[in-house]
Amino acid sequence: MPVLVASDLDRTLIYSAAALALTMPDARAPRLLCVEVHESRPLSYLTETAARLLCDLGDEAVFVPTTTRTRKQYLRINLPGPQPAYAICANGGHLLVDGVSDADWHRRVTERLAGECAPLAEVREHLLRTADPVWVRKQRVAEDLFAYLVVERELLPEEWVKELAAWAEGRGWTVSLQGRKIYAVPKPLTKSAAVREVARRTGADLVLGAGDSLLDADLLLAVDRGWRPGHGELAETDWSAPGITALPERGVLAGERIVREFLRTARAPR
Ligand SMILES: [Mg+2]
């Protein structure tokens, strides 16, 4: 019976330069591997040690990248090791099997959304109407499933985010603030539903997971054992759940620790 490892990517396994949170003297900093180039510039990194551990993990478990990124944003990440047989994109809206979206899964998700929450158009219209151009840099719709804004964090009023979250709650949507992005995501669009589907297909009897943001809470509640880094939305609210370990490490070193914990747990006798 295989072990399934479902892990968030951004600020859990891979880190932009702004999110590295390195605190040691420069001469003692870990060597980093760039795993994503965007518009010809390096964008995301993990430590070389994490990269090696991730390769090893591929021999011990079914590793499933589990991200809110669109398929296009996911596919430009070049993680070490073989291409994962399964990957979850768009917060569960797309289940990639050998790199190709499973049409049946996507249809099931969109049917569920149509029945259980307010339509994307209504949320989009609210965002366009209430967000202030003074601090909004970009407005985006992802995969026709959810919306996000790229904002100037220093200018963003905390009150506006709270009001948006309350407005969205009544319509079956969740709001998540991650770095410079504010996501509005339908509540029924979850990473956990897609992870359960992969567990069913692979017959996994142990599911491990990790994540840092509010959108990862349902994932962590669905796994047997999980880890969250010392930074991010979940750490800020001191979020915890049975079977979930809150790590003290922050930034790219938390990513390394998480892969180490995945590997150690996957190798432990059961
Ligand atoms: Mg994340």
Side-chain angles (χ1 to χ4, degrees):
M1 297 285 257
V3 179
L4 199 152
V5 174
S7 181
D8 174 48
L9 296 177
D10 292 274
R11 298 185 183 215
T12 295
L13 286 192
I14 66 174
Y15 292 78
S16 67
L20 291 173
L22 295 170
T23 55
M24 70 289 284
D26 290 344
R28 292 222 303 274
R31 196 143 53 175
L32 301 172
L33 178 69
C34 177
V35 291
E36 180 183 22
V37 169
H38 181 44
E39 292 171 349
S40 307
R41 289 199 169 88
L43 184 57
S44 301
Y45 303 86
L46 37 63
T47 67
E48 276 194 357
T49 304
R52 181 173 49 76
L53 295 169
L54 197 56
C55 287
D56 293 349
L57 184 66
D59 297 332
E60 309 283 340
V62 179
F63 171 61
V64 184
T66 305
T67 180
T68 305
R69 285 182 178 228
T70 63
R71 285 169 291 173
K72 189 175 168 214
Q73 291 166 342
Y74 165 70
L75 288 168
R76 70 175 181 235
I77 303 174
N78 195 354
L79 289 174
Q83 177 183 257
Y86 296 95
I88 293 162
C89 294
N91 216 58
H94 285 282
L95 171 56
L96 305 194
V97 182
D98 295 324
V100 179
S101 182
D102 184 300
D104 277 346
W105 174 256
H106 184 64
R107 187 178 34 77
R108 274 157 64 189
V109 169
T110 51
E111 282 170 5
R112 209 177 149 205
L113 298 187
E116 295 181 17
C117 60
L120 172 62
E122 184 183 340
V123 176
R124 180 107 208 279
E125 193 275 327
H126 182 82
L127 287 173
L128 288 168
R129 191 160 42 77
T130 62
D132 191 336
V134 166
W135 42 262
V136 172
R137 290 293 163 264
K138 290 174 194 169
Q139 309 230 17
R140 292 280 184 268
V141 166
E143 302 269 20
D144 251 349
L145 290 168
F146 62 89
Y148 64 90
L149 306 178
V150 181
V151 298
E152 218 55 72
R153 215 25 213 274
E154 310 75 50
L155 301 176
L156 174 71
E158 213 172 293
E159 208 45 42
W160 183 84
V161 180
K162 277 188 195 149
E163 281 168 24
L164 175 66
W167 181 89
E169 178 73 31
R171 284 157 183 82
W173 285 60
T174 303
V175 170
S176 173
L177 179 58
Q178 304 177 31
R180 298 173 62 228
K181 289 180 179 168
I182 303 174
Y183 294 86
V185 176
K187 280 184 190 288
L189 184 68
T190 62
K191 293 180 175 183
S192 60
V195 168
R196 284 195 191 93
E197 176 67 9
V198 178
R200 191 185 65 77
R201 293 188 189 190
T202 56
D205 68 338
L206 178 67
V207 182
L208 312 180
D212 68 298
S213 83
L214 221 46
L215 295 176
D216 298 312
D218 75 281
L219 168 68
L220 293 176
L221 289 171
V223 300
D224 297 304
R225 287 211 54 196
W227 292 265
R228 69 154 172 83
H231 61 261
E233 280 181 308
L234 296 179
E236 281 159 25
T237 56
D238 212 16
W239 187 92
S240 70
I244 305 304
T245 304
L247 297 171
E249 289 90 347
R250 300 169 58 87
V252 73
L253 289 182
E256 182 179 310
R257 173 81 189 270
I258 285 166
V259 190
R260 199 182 297 281
E261 295 295 331
F262 284 153
L263 191 59
R264 191 180 54 76
T265 311
R267 280 177 173 162
R270 278 177 287 147

